[in-house]
Amino acid sequence: AHFTWHGNGLLAAFSSDWVVLGSGPDDRWLVLYFTKTIATPEGVDVIARIPELSPEDRGEVLRLLRTDAFLKQKSGGIVWFSRPPR
């Protein structure tokens, strides 16, 4: 899957292409690659439907980042953030 993000308001001059490069069971998590903008470098994000991934899901994400040649090159490191449940 691919989409192009376009900024609004002050960010209207910015756009970035995003590509889904991997997903977990039942799409609980996705690994996304995005292109650079004038203000941000290219990068890799991991997003999830749940506030915090299980140790097994984190292991699967790390396995994907280490074994996929493109992702290995693009993901220099990973920082895990979690959002409190609503």
Side-chain angles (χ1 to χ4, degrees), residues 8-77:
N8 295 337
L10 295 174
L11 300 176
F14 299 97
S15 68
S16 181
D17 290 309
W18 291 67
V19 181
V20 177
L21 295 177
S23 64
D26 301 322
D27 293 330
R28 282 193 308 257
W29 52 265
L30 299 174
V31 175
L32 303 166
Y33 164 76
F34 55 92
T35 59
K36 69 180 182 174
T37 69
I38 296 169
T40 60
E42 70 178 347
V44 174
D45 276 350
V46 178
I47 61 172
R49 294 179 182 265
I50 53 178
E52 191 164 338
L53 293 177
S54 69
E56 294 80 15
D57 283 332
R58 286 183 181 213
E60 283 298 307
V61 169
L62 291 173
R63 184 195 60 73
L64 179 62
L65 295 177
R66 291 180 185 139
T67 59
D68 181 278
F70 181 80
L71 286 171
K72 187 174 183 177
Q73 176 189 10
K74 299 297 180 182
S75 60

